Amino acid sequence: MATEQVISDEARKEIEALFHHLPKKQAACIDALKIVQKHNRWVSDQALVELGPILEMTPHEIDSIATFYNIIFRKPVGRHVIFLCNSVSCWIMGYEGIRNALKEKLQIDFGMTTKDDRFTFLPIPCLGNCDHAPSMIVDEDLYEDLTPEILDEILAKYE
Amino acid sequence: MAKVIIDNVEYEVPDGKNMLEVCLSLGMDLTYFCWHPAMHSVGACRQCAVIQYRDENDTRGKIVMSCMVDAVNGTRISLQDQKGKDFRAGNIESLMLNHPHDCPVCDEGGECHLQDMTVMSGHNYRRYRFNKRTHVNQDLGPFVYHEMNRCIQCYRCVRFYNDYAGGKDFGVFASSGRVYFGRSESGTLENEFSGNLVEICPTGVFTDKTLRKHYTRKWDLTSAPSICHQCSVGCNTLASERYGGLRRILSRYNGDVNGYFLCDRGRFGYEYVNDDKRLTKVAQKATSDTDAFASVKNLVGSKPRMIGIGSPRASLESNFMLKQLVGEENFYQGIPQHEAQLAETAFNLLRTVGVKTPSLSEIETYDAVLVLGEDVTNTAPMIALALRQAAKNQPREEAYKLKIQKWNDAAIREVVQDRTGPFYTATPCSTKLDEIATQKFTGDTNHLLALSDKIIAAIAGSQGGNDNTDAYANDVAKALLSCKKPLVVSGTGMMSKEILLAAAGIARALKVSGKEAGLTFAVPEVNSMGLALIGGKYWDEAVARVQSEKDTIAIVMETNLAYRFGKKNAESFLKNCKQVVMIDSLENETTAFADFILPAGTFAESTGTVINNEGRAQRFYEVFVPKNEIRSSWAWIDQLTHSKESARHFDTIVEEMIAHYPILEKIRDLAPDANSRIGTQKIPRETHRYSGRTAMNANISVHEPKPPLDEDSPLTYTMEGYHGKAPSKAIPYFWSPGWNSLQSINKYQIEVGGPLHGGNPGIRLIEAGDNTGGDLKNTGSNKTNNGTFEVLPSHHIFGGDELSAKSAPLATRIPDTTVSISSSALQRSGIEGAESLSINYDGEAHSFKIKIDNSLPDNVLMLPKGFNETKGLLFPFFTEISKG
Amino acid sequence: MERPLTEHIKKDGTALTLKEYEAVGGYQGLRAALKMTPAEVMGVVKDSKLRGRGGAGFPTGLKWSFVPMGDDVPQPKYLVANGDEMEPGTFKDRLLIERNPHQLIEGMIISAYAIGASMSYIFLRWAYHEAANRVLLALDEAYRAGYLGKDILGSGFELEMDLHTSVGRYICGEETALLNALEGKRANPRNKPPFPQVSGLFGKPTIVNNVETYCNVPHILAKGAQWYISISKSEGGGGTKLYGASGRVKNPAIWELPLGTTLGEIIEEHAGGMLDGYKLRGLLPGGASTDFLTPDHMNIKMDFEEVGKAGSRMGTGTIIVLDDKTCPVGMCLNLEQFFAQESCGWCTPCREGLPWTAKILLALEEGRGKPEDIDHLTFQTHYNAPGNTFCALAPGAMEPLQSALKYFREDFDEHIHNHSCKYHRH
Ligand SMILES: Cc1cc2nc3c(=O)[nH]c(=O)nc-3n(C[C@H](O)[C@H](O)[C@H](O)COP(=O)(O)O)c2cc1C
Ligand code: SF4
Ligand code: FES
């Protein structure tokens, strides 16, 4: 089988470094998934297969965990991920206006990826930034007090 | 004992139970899903809610989950309180939101716990008006059908498959209302116990794919209590028929044996009963229209020189009858001599070593295990399942110290994590149980024997040397001595008498050191122990006999000689016989040599007694009367000497057998005799819900045929009869008003998960005495070493048993025939990189594809036992290897 | 007014470095603690009337006292800081972690000392990237300075500390689900009893406290239990509390105020009252899973008892304000959709009941409501009541709904009768 290896040696090393503080390898499962995602953007079926022997788990066992958590992506995502908060304070403060504006600009709605693979657009529960609602995170950057007007400037930062 | 109050009535109940168990044990109707008597409580489904009160002055009470309430003194609950009833109805309403209400097309319908619970909780009208969620189903392989939309998320399947049975290719995915039970992707369920999902699932998510292929509504089945014939454990089963075909096998609860479960070979390996190669007619070679049976009868009646060949897959009664017919001097065991001696050794050791042989369910109570030489997962799968539970006993103690109740499964699991108690294996190659082993050891036969000697010495306190074997022996001895109940598990898998003796020696040493030791042997077949008890001369003598006495007539019963001895050997034996009468169920290479065929019933079309690996005699019953000439082997033999009119009944034959074998005295009580009645009634094999009887054969004749009479058992072939709970020794199906699913078993048990009312069926014939004396030295001859490689048999749950291997669904799971060898052995032999290799057996070269197994010692090869390509090879043997 | 937790937080938004923290009295509490026995430390915390800041207000010292102590108890013992903070409308722990990570670390070391833990984790929610970076830096500083690791400050006490960042799911904040997440498993809650204090992380004794709870500990040890009680305005507990407000108020933010400050003071003085053109309709006093209070409740003290008496819970102390131009039914819909989505899927009432609830609310909002829907919503609030479900998520989810049905019933009825929502949709 000539399946291409998707977990790089570097990622593998990072995963193995997790083990020393843990009583068993399986306990590193979530962090390992995060590392894979950091390197690959998402966790493919092949990644589960490769993770198996590293964590001494089967792909089924890892997938059971991966699919529980919403920040582990089991489907491909774009180069940048926009997480727009849709929880109560942002709702009160009008996140829906931001959603509509982004929808128009990117031509995609929640759960979708732009054709050019640039953005994936996702709703996210409360970002803990309620005093500056509406808020969103792009990749790891937090944006607050959003208005439709400032979106272009933000999006322009992500290629 | 604790005093609890349920709806203002006080009951005295055993300690250590939860209130759901208590209510069910008291015969009350209370709804539940996630709780399972073998897997206990996790409190997920919330269906067992009741109202609990602080004391008699508390009138409000609060809702609690009865499965999570400890039944301690003074616990006061109500099942009748309206708040509790409303909650249970509301809960089931919620569970039904996404359920497709597809009972009319659902395989589970009529035997569905969800249906029962819905009716019981009184949820009738649907208020939900929104869309249901839908899931994609998966192909889970040949055994289990998946319909995820019916799921009510009780989590029982994962708890069984992963936590109880050690599966790793199944699980729960996603979260919230989207949770999904299946695999990461479609594919065959690999665990040997996957079929239990069918019974574990309270609704129709996991159903029996083999039943589905020839589906029948479950109330339309004719069923009888049966014993699985696929290995030596003898699990209790319910076998069911309609229209002359066997439709499915279910586990039949026996608190001493298999409890609620079965392995997949036992559950899905039944299809050979329906094979189109079944022998259905009395036949005489090369003739058709003469009365073949009259010819056989004449032949036998002419008192020729006659020998009988018995079989470990035939019942005690059949073997006994054959022996009676031909005479003690002329009765031979239709298996290789070496195999016969192994079974006899096992049988004798269990009687003489002075160590208790636990029942299958008692295996779960041991707190340290040594597995010597036996790959039980493949030779006696249910023993492996029991051992998986035993392995958790020691870590569980820690949970009990924290005052966590025994039934609090989830909490115990958090404490136990994936730790196991002392569990040691010593086998030729890695086996599946190694994954729960504290330590493992591999070696050839001599190495394992040396290890055993050292373990015995170490138990007796001697330190020994300091190589790896010594170290392992010391670790094992120390671990086994530091627990209360150590168990030694071995068997005939390595085909070595010395291994059996060694295992017995270790067990005895433990007992002598004051331990409550146990000794379990797996033996090859369903009635290996029975045949050993009946006794018979060895095969080699039979071969010599027919060679010298050319006028011998052989009666060969239920054994495929070509399968057991190889085609060449079988052929030469049969050709030396003057005439051959074969009593068997399936056409095979051997039957081709028969002059006469008497079509024998399989387990499904016969009644009989078999003795399992622990020495427990168990009765199985004819499920249906075939509409052809098939009948029990013993009945055929009886008719060779009796006319139809004077034919004897099963009970008479049992009596006669007991007269010859006093050790069998107790089997008289195995079952009610054929004349016994409940009131005036017999026990029906069909439920009162059975339908279509008058129409079933209407295409042939509108006159409903007279149903066959069963004169050999207390059962009838109809739906007429006693419709209360059948006595435990003859339960053809489980049913109780309001409980149409298998969970009605609760109503048959003295306390849930405990023994059946009337006692668990089966009678142990062998009990260890206190005498731990006697010589355990091997008196037989050691195989001489005429080759560099010892060739040992590997065992396979799918394919390693002749008959079940013929079942189509199982056949797809049989692995390729390969020879296992370590890569260093290949290297050492200078054939690195070879794809197949050639070995010598009996002067002939055999070539096999190579499978690398680096857990194998450098001087050991393994070949699957009982596969088409390896049939007739007598293990162990020694060989040189070469490429090719 | 004393603000021990936040007074040294820097205006520029950066975190206090170890040096800066030490300069304002940092790690003095630890030094004081290490001079006492663990039992004495536990005693001081008990005396201080510190109550958990994660929402339930359980007395912290009492919780610790359930941890088995002595030489023959299971080891290692664990200590975990709950920094999951995913309760909608809650944003207090973030401030503490981002701006003063050493305060949290010091609090955890002292607490670990008190219960004899040798391993500790900070469980941080995924979204707090900046906080995570700062915690890692601070941990590094603390290890280098000998506050963590072997033989801390020459006391012989040993503690390791690690950061775990989650991968989403609100249920991870529930302490037993959090333990499963830390074990690398699915974050289903565990049954209690046994409590984590007895059988927690990897089956060992474990304490889980909220981030803010731990941040109080150094100050209690440094200045004493009496001082701590004296800075509170509440009968039921000591210390200050981080209060916050979001929604249409003039100045949404977080403030450290004496425990027991009145609702009115928080809304009017600190949050600056409502934005012009908006009136206060109601509020959730302590995050998404608390009952609505109304303008009539402005005089009550924000503490565990008084808010409880008023029919709600103080929860996390971060207030979500509902104005008169926002639809209460819509707000409930938003909340219930959140809770339905975040249900772990373990127990029936939550897994099935919350989506049904959300679907009914959506129907109401979209003009498809039916009169019997009110009964059904009411049924759900009973069905998902505390004790009926496996953990507190679902009962929490019912709190805003049951109180909305009480205070804003006419809005629900109007939605049904008019087949529409009259509020302007954003
Ligand atoms: C669904 C749910 C979510 C919770 N989320 C949090 C959380 O994000 N942070 C937190 O500190 N406590 C949370 N809690 C409370 C914790 O279970 C636990 O009570 C708390 O961490 C204990 O800390 P304390 O005693 O210091 O308050 C949550 C509880 C529930 C039921
Ligand atoms: S209430 Fe039940 S389903 Fe909901 S989060 Fe808690 S345990 Fe999970
Ligand atoms: S049976 Fe008690 S909660 Fe499921």
Side-chain angles (χ1 to χ4, degrees), chain A residues 24 26 45 48 58 60-61 63-64 67-68 74, chain B residues 168-170 172-175 183-185 417-418:
Chain A
K24 54 182 182 187
Q26 289 91 315
D45 290 351
L48 294 183
T58 63
H60 307 275
E61 293 172 311
D63 201 19
S64 170
T67 52
F68 184 90
R74 287 285 282 111
Chain B
K168 292 180 163 44
D169 61 326
F170 177 89
V172 49
F173 301 89
S175 63
R183 289 165 44 97
S184 180
E185 52 185 11
Q417 297 273 325
D418 46 14

PDB file of all heavy atoms in Angstrom, chain A residues 24 26 45 48 58 60-61 63-64 67-68 74, chain B residues 168-170 172-175 183-185 417-418:
ATOM      1  N   LYS A  24      -0.530   7.116  31.103  1.00  0.00           N
ATOM      2  CA  LYS A  24      -0.661   6.191  29.973  1.00  0.00           C
ATOM      3  C   LYS A  24      -0.794   6.977  28.678  1.00  0.00           C
ATOM      4  O   LYS A  24      -1.259   8.120  28.666  1.00  0.00           O
ATOM      5  CB  LYS A  24      -1.853   5.251  30.172  1.00  0.00           C
ATOM      6  CG  LYS A  24      -3.147   5.979  30.448  1.00  0.00           C
ATOM      7  CD  LYS A  24      -4.277   5.000  30.674  1.00  0.00           C
ATOM      8  CE  LYS A  24      -5.568   5.754  30.899  1.00  0.00           C
ATOM      9  NZ  LYS A  24      -6.672   4.931  31.275  1.00  0.00           N
ATOM     10  N   GLN A  26      -2.718   6.741  26.112  1.00  0.00           N
ATOM     11  CA  GLN A  26      -4.051   7.114  25.641  1.00  0.00           C
ATOM     12  C   GLN A  26      -4.479   8.480  26.177  1.00  0.00           C
ATOM     13  O   GLN A  26      -5.292   9.160  25.570  1.00  0.00           O
ATOM     14  CB  GLN A  26      -5.096   6.071  26.067  1.00  0.00           C
ATOM     15  CG  GLN A  26      -4.977   4.757  25.327  1.00  0.00           C
ATOM     16  CD  GLN A  26      -4.073   3.782  26.054  1.00  0.00           C
ATOM     17  OE1 GLN A  26      -2.988   4.156  26.510  1.00  0.00           O
ATOM     18  NE2 GLN A  26      -4.494   2.543  26.171  1.00  0.00           N
ATOM     19  N   ASP A  45      -8.794  10.386   7.875  1.00  0.00           N
ATOM     20  CA  ASP A  45      -8.872   8.967   8.239  1.00  0.00           C
ATOM     21  C   ASP A  45      -7.471   8.368   8.322  1.00  0.00           C
ATOM     22  O   ASP A  45      -7.166   7.581   9.208  1.00  0.00           O
ATOM     23  CB  ASP A  45      -9.694   8.182   7.205  1.00  0.00           C
ATOM     24  CG  ASP A  45     -11.173   8.544   7.279  1.00  0.00           C
ATOM     25  OD1 ASP A  45     -11.560   9.251   8.228  1.00  0.00           O
ATOM     26  OD2 ASP A  45     -11.924   8.129   6.378  1.00  0.00           O
ATOM     27  N   LEU A  48      -5.767   9.077  11.506  1.00  0.00           N
ATOM     28  CA  LEU A  48      -6.197   8.200  12.605  1.00  0.00           C
ATOM     29  C   LEU A  48      -5.442   6.880  12.544  1.00  0.00           C
ATOM     30  O   LEU A  48      -5.021   6.339  13.563  1.00  0.00           O
ATOM     31  CB  LEU A  48      -7.701   7.912  12.505  1.00  0.00           C
ATOM     32  CG  LEU A  48      -8.667   9.068  12.712  1.00  0.00           C
ATOM     33  CD1 LEU A  48     -10.101   8.562  12.635  1.00  0.00           C
ATOM     34  CD2 LEU A  48      -8.429   9.738  14.056  1.00  0.00           C
ATOM     35  N   THR A  58      -6.792   2.021  18.662  1.00  0.00           N
ATOM     36  CA  THR A  58      -7.232   1.761  17.294  1.00  0.00           C
ATOM     37  C   THR A  58      -7.823   3.043  16.714  1.00  0.00           C
ATOM     38  O   THR A  58      -8.244   3.939  17.468  1.00  0.00           O
ATOM     39  CB  THR A  58      -8.301   0.663  17.240  1.00  0.00           C
ATOM     40  OG1 THR A  58      -9.457   1.130  17.950  1.00  0.00           O
ATOM     41  CG2 THR A  58      -7.805  -0.631  17.860  1.00  0.00           C
ATOM     42  N   HIS A  60     -10.634   3.426  15.565  1.00  0.00           N
ATOM     43  CA  HIS A  60     -12.016   3.539  16.058  1.00  0.00           C
ATOM     44  C   HIS A  60     -12.037   4.238  17.415  1.00  0.00           C
ATOM     45  O   HIS A  60     -12.878   5.086  17.683  1.00  0.00           O
ATOM     46  CB  HIS A  60     -12.647   2.157  16.178  1.00  0.00           C
ATOM     47  CG  HIS A  60     -12.547   1.346  14.926  1.00  0.00           C
ATOM     48  ND1 HIS A  60     -13.461   1.453  13.908  1.00  0.00           N
ATOM     49  CD2 HIS A  60     -11.625   0.455  14.519  1.00  0.00           C
ATOM     50  CE1 HIS A  60     -13.102   0.633  12.926  1.00  0.00           C
ATOM     51  NE2 HIS A  60     -11.992   0.020  13.271  1.00  0.00           N
ATOM     52  N   GLU A  61     -11.113   3.853  18.252  1.00  0.00           N
ATOM     53  CA  GLU A  61     -11.068   4.453  19.589  1.00  0.00           C
ATOM     54  C   GLU A  61     -10.703   5.933  19.502  1.00  0.00           C
ATOM     55  O   GLU A  61     -11.268   6.769  20.220  1.00  0.00           O
ATOM     56  CB  GLU A  61     -10.052   3.711  20.466  1.00  0.00           C
ATOM     57  CG  GLU A  61     -10.467   2.292  20.790  1.00  0.00           C
ATOM     58  CD  GLU A  61      -9.375   1.480  21.492  1.00  0.00           C
ATOM     59  OE1 GLU A  61      -8.217   1.484  21.013  1.00  0.00           O
ATOM     60  OE2 GLU A  61      -9.678   0.851  22.506  1.00  0.00           O
ATOM     61  N   ASP A  63     -11.172   7.893  16.916  1.00  0.00           N
ATOM     62  CA  ASP A  63     -12.253   8.624  16.254  1.00  0.00           C
ATOM     63  C   ASP A  63     -13.414   8.882  17.208  1.00  0.00           C
ATOM     64  O   ASP A  63     -14.088   9.909  17.142  1.00  0.00           O
ATOM     65  CB  ASP A  63     -12.736   7.823  15.033  1.00  0.00           C
ATOM     66  CG  ASP A  63     -13.456   8.693  14.021  1.00  0.00           C
ATOM     67  OD1 ASP A  63     -13.274   9.933  14.082  1.00  0.00           O
ATOM     68  OD2 ASP A  63     -14.187   8.159  13.179  1.00  0.00           O
ATOM     69  N   SER A  64     -13.631   7.944  18.099  1.00  0.00           N
ATOM     70  CA  SER A  64     -14.688   8.112  19.102  1.00  0.00           C
ATOM     71  C   SER A  64     -14.442   9.394  19.896  1.00  0.00           C
ATOM     72  O   SER A  64     -15.373  10.130  20.223  1.00  0.00           O
ATOM     73  CB  SER A  64     -14.701   6.886  20.029  1.00  0.00           C
ATOM     74  OG  SER A  64     -15.527   7.108  21.130  1.00  0.00           O
ATOM     75  N   THR A  67     -14.462  12.772  17.400  1.00  0.00           N
ATOM     76  CA  THR A  67     -15.767  13.273  16.958  1.00  0.00           C
ATOM     77  C   THR A  67     -16.584  13.858  18.100  1.00  0.00           C
ATOM     78  O   THR A  67     -17.601  14.498  17.872  1.00  0.00           O
ATOM     79  CB  THR A  67     -16.583  12.156  16.285  1.00  0.00           C
ATOM     80  OG1 THR A  67     -16.622  11.018  17.165  1.00  0.00           O
ATOM     81  CG2 THR A  67     -15.960  11.751  14.961  1.00  0.00           C
ATOM     82  N   PHE A  68     -16.151  13.620  19.327  1.00  0.00           N
ATOM     83  CA  PHE A  68     -16.887  14.209  20.455  1.00  0.00           C
ATOM     84  C   PHE A  68     -16.669  15.721  20.504  1.00  0.00           C
ATOM     85  O   PHE A  68     -17.574  16.486  20.819  1.00  0.00           O
ATOM     86  CB  PHE A  68     -16.418  13.580  21.772  1.00  0.00           C
ATOM     87  CG  PHE A  68     -17.175  14.053  22.981  1.00  0.00           C
ATOM     88  CD1 PHE A  68     -18.314  13.388  23.400  1.00  0.00           C
ATOM     89  CD2 PHE A  68     -16.761  15.176  23.696  1.00  0.00           C
ATOM     90  CE1 PHE A  68     -19.033  13.824  24.504  1.00  0.00           C
ATOM     91  CE2 PHE A  68     -17.473  15.626  24.800  1.00  0.00           C
ATOM     92  CZ  PHE A  68     -18.615  14.947  25.205  1.00  0.00           C
ATOM     93  N   ARG A  74     -12.784  16.715  11.465  1.00  0.00           N
ATOM     94  CA  ARG A  74     -12.655  15.438  10.752  1.00  0.00           C
ATOM     95  C   ARG A  74     -12.960  15.595   9.260  1.00  0.00           C
ATOM     96  O   ARG A  74     -13.032  14.631   8.523  1.00  0.00           O
ATOM     97  CB  ARG A  74     -13.566  14.381  11.395  1.00  0.00           C
ATOM     98  CG  ARG A  74     -13.065  13.876  12.730  1.00  0.00           C
ATOM     99  CD  ARG A  74     -11.878  12.922  12.611  1.00  0.00           C
ATOM    100  NE  ARG A  74     -12.309  11.590  12.204  1.00  0.00           N
ATOM    101  CZ  ARG A  74     -12.043  11.046  11.030  1.00  0.00           C
ATOM    102  NH1 ARG A  74     -11.333  11.709  10.142  1.00  0.00           N
ATOM    103  NH2 ARG A  74     -12.469   9.839  10.745  1.00  0.00           N
TER     104      ARG A  74
ATOM    105  N   LYS B 168     -12.115  -3.403  20.168  1.00  0.00           N
ATOM    106  CA  LYS B 168     -11.449  -2.128  19.942  1.00  0.00           C
ATOM    107  C   LYS B 168     -11.811  -1.528  18.600  1.00  0.00           C
ATOM    108  O   LYS B 168     -11.224  -0.546  18.175  1.00  0.00           O
ATOM    109  CB  LYS B 168      -9.928  -2.326  20.008  1.00  0.00           C
ATOM    110  CG  LYS B 168      -9.439  -2.678  21.403  1.00  0.00           C
ATOM    111  CD  LYS B 168      -7.939  -2.872  21.412  1.00  0.00           C
ATOM    112  CE  LYS B 168      -7.344  -2.818  22.801  1.00  0.00           C
ATOM    113  NZ  LYS B 168      -8.051  -3.543  23.831  1.00  0.00           N
ATOM    114  N   ASP B 169     -12.753  -2.135  17.923  1.00  0.00           N
ATOM    115  CA  ASP B 169     -13.080  -1.636  16.589  1.00  0.00           C
ATOM    116  C   ASP B 169     -14.538  -1.206  16.517  1.00  0.00           C
ATOM    117  O   ASP B 169     -15.198  -1.342  15.493  1.00  0.00           O
ATOM    118  CB  ASP B 169     -12.796  -2.710  15.533  1.00  0.00           C
ATOM    119  CG  ASP B 169     -13.637  -3.957  15.746  1.00  0.00           C
ATOM    120  OD1 ASP B 169     -13.911  -4.287  16.912  1.00  0.00           O
ATOM    121  OD2 ASP B 169     -14.032  -4.586  14.750  1.00  0.00           O
ATOM    122  N   PHE B 170     -15.036  -0.711  17.597  1.00  0.00           N
ATOM    123  CA  PHE B 170     -16.429  -0.310  17.678  1.00  0.00           C
ATOM    124  C   PHE B 170     -16.480   0.767  18.736  1.00  0.00           C
ATOM    125  O   PHE B 170     -15.626   0.811  19.609  1.00  0.00           O
ATOM    126  CB  PHE B 170     -17.249  -1.530  18.119  1.00  0.00           C
ATOM    127  CG  PHE B 170     -18.718  -1.254  18.323  1.00  0.00           C
ATOM    128  CD1 PHE B 170     -19.595  -1.377  17.260  1.00  0.00           C
ATOM    129  CD2 PHE B 170     -19.217  -0.882  19.570  1.00  0.00           C
ATOM    130  CE1 PHE B 170     -20.950  -1.144  17.436  1.00  0.00           C
ATOM    131  CE2 PHE B 170     -20.561  -0.639  19.742  1.00  0.00           C
ATOM    132  CZ  PHE B 170     -21.434  -0.775  18.680  1.00  0.00           C
ATOM    133  N   VAL B 172     -18.612   4.666  20.299  1.00  0.00           N
ATOM    134  CA  VAL B 172     -19.616   5.719  20.204  1.00  0.00           C
ATOM    135  C   VAL B 172     -18.917   6.941  19.628  1.00  0.00           C
ATOM    136  O   VAL B 172     -17.795   7.269  20.006  1.00  0.00           O
ATOM    137  CB  VAL B 172     -20.274   6.001  21.569  1.00  0.00           C
ATOM    138  CG1 VAL B 172     -19.248   6.180  22.680  1.00  0.00           C
ATOM    139  CG2 VAL B 172     -21.178   7.229  21.493  1.00  0.00           C
ATOM    140  N   PHE B 173     -19.595   7.574  18.701  1.00  0.00           N
ATOM    141  CA  PHE B 173     -19.007   8.716  18.013  1.00  0.00           C
ATOM    142  C   PHE B 173     -19.900   9.934  18.187  1.00  0.00           C
ATOM    143  O   PHE B 173     -21.083   9.808  18.464  1.00  0.00           O
ATOM    144  CB  PHE B 173     -18.828   8.391  16.527  1.00  0.00           C
ATOM    145  CG  PHE B 173     -17.949   7.185  16.325  1.00  0.00           C
ATOM    146  CD1 PHE B 173     -18.488   5.913  16.293  1.00  0.00           C
ATOM    147  CD2 PHE B 173     -16.575   7.324  16.239  1.00  0.00           C
ATOM    148  CE1 PHE B 173     -17.681   4.802  16.161  1.00  0.00           C
ATOM    149  CE2 PHE B 173     -15.759   6.215  16.110  1.00  0.00           C
ATOM    150  CZ  PHE B 173     -16.312   4.950  16.070  1.00  0.00           C
ATOM    151  N   ALA B 174     -19.313  11.116  17.986  1.00  0.00           N
ATOM    152  CA  ALA B 174     -20.012  12.392  18.074  1.00  0.00           C
ATOM    153  C   ALA B 174     -20.599  12.605  19.469  1.00  0.00           C
ATOM    154  O   ALA B 174     -20.293  11.857  20.406  1.00  0.00           O
ATOM    155  CB  ALA B 174     -21.081  12.518  17.003  1.00  0.00           C
ATOM    156  N   SER B 175     -21.426  13.627  19.607  1.00  0.00           N
ATOM    157  CA  SER B 175     -21.952  13.950  20.936  1.00  0.00           C
ATOM    158  C   SER B 175     -23.391  14.431  20.801  1.00  0.00           C
ATOM    159  O   SER B 175     -23.955  14.425  19.709  1.00  0.00           O
ATOM    160  CB  SER B 175     -21.083  15.035  21.588  1.00  0.00           C
ATOM    161  OG  SER B 175     -21.152  16.215  20.818  1.00  0.00           O
ATOM    162  N   ARG B 183     -18.805   1.854  13.912  1.00  0.00           N
ATOM    163  CA  ARG B 183     -17.363   1.857  13.728  1.00  0.00           C
ATOM    164  C   ARG B 183     -16.936   3.166  13.085  1.00  0.00           C
ATOM    165  O   ARG B 183     -17.751   3.912  12.576  1.00  0.00           O
ATOM    166  CB  ARG B 183     -16.946   0.687  12.846  1.00  0.00           C
ATOM    167  CG  ARG B 183     -17.080  -0.679  13.507  1.00  0.00           C
ATOM    168  CD  ARG B 183     -16.998  -1.792  12.484  1.00  0.00           C
ATOM    169  NE  ARG B 183     -15.940  -1.577  11.528  1.00  0.00           N
ATOM    170  CZ  ARG B 183     -14.718  -2.128  11.603  1.00  0.00           C
ATOM    171  NH1 ARG B 183     -14.421  -2.947  12.560  1.00  0.00           N
ATOM    172  NH2 ARG B 183     -13.805  -1.869  10.682  1.00  0.00           N
ATOM    173  N   SER B 184     -15.655   3.417  13.117  1.00  0.00           N
ATOM    174  CA  SER B 184     -15.144   4.622  12.492  1.00  0.00           C
ATOM    175  C   SER B 184     -15.491   4.612  11.011  1.00  0.00           C
ATOM    176  O   SER B 184     -15.789   5.638  10.415  1.00  0.00           O
ATOM    177  CB  SER B 184     -13.627   4.691  12.698  1.00  0.00           C
ATOM    178  OG  SER B 184     -13.104   5.830  12.113  1.00  0.00           O
ATOM    179  N   GLU B 185     -15.450   3.445  10.401  1.00  0.00           N
ATOM    180  CA  GLU B 185     -15.944   3.295   9.035  1.00  0.00           C
ATOM    181  C   GLU B 185     -16.518   1.893   8.907  1.00  0.00           C
ATOM    182  O   GLU B 185     -16.220   1.019   9.709  1.00  0.00           O
ATOM    183  CB  GLU B 185     -14.815   3.523   8.024  1.00  0.00           C
ATOM    184  CG  GLU B 185     -13.606   2.673   8.324  1.00  0.00           C
ATOM    185  CD  GLU B 185     -12.426   2.988   7.400  1.00  0.00           C
ATOM    186  OE1 GLU B 185     -12.490   3.991   6.685  1.00  0.00           O
ATOM    187  OE2 GLU B 185     -11.474   2.206   7.407  1.00  0.00           O
ATOM    188  N   GLN B 417      -9.624   1.891  35.782  1.00  0.00           N
ATOM    189  CA  GLN B 417      -9.010   2.355  34.530  1.00  0.00           C
ATOM    190  C   GLN B 417      -8.755   1.129  33.650  1.00  0.00           C
ATOM    191  O   GLN B 417      -9.617   0.283  33.556  1.00  0.00           O
ATOM    192  CB  GLN B 417      -7.740   3.144  34.832  1.00  0.00           C
ATOM    193  CG  GLN B 417      -8.018   4.411  35.643  1.00  0.00           C
ATOM    194  CD  GLN B 417      -8.358   5.607  34.781  1.00  0.00           C
ATOM    195  OE1 GLN B 417      -7.854   5.795  33.698  1.00  0.00           O
ATOM    196  NE2 GLN B 417      -9.266   6.453  35.273  1.00  0.00           N
ATOM    197  N   ASP B 418      -7.588   1.030  33.007  1.00  0.00           N
ATOM    198  CA  ASP B 418      -7.388  -0.197  32.225  1.00  0.00           C
ATOM    199  C   ASP B 418      -6.424  -1.166  32.902  1.00  0.00           C
ATOM    200  O   ASP B 418      -5.775  -1.970  32.271  1.00  0.00           O
ATOM    201  CB  ASP B 418      -6.949   0.121  30.791  1.00  0.00           C
ATOM    202  CG  ASP B 418      -5.857   1.172  30.765  1.00  0.00           C
ATOM    203  OD1 ASP B 418      -5.282   1.434  31.841  1.00  0.00           O
ATOM    204  OD2 ASP B 418      -5.594   1.722  29.687  1.00  0.00           O
TER     205      ASP B 418
END
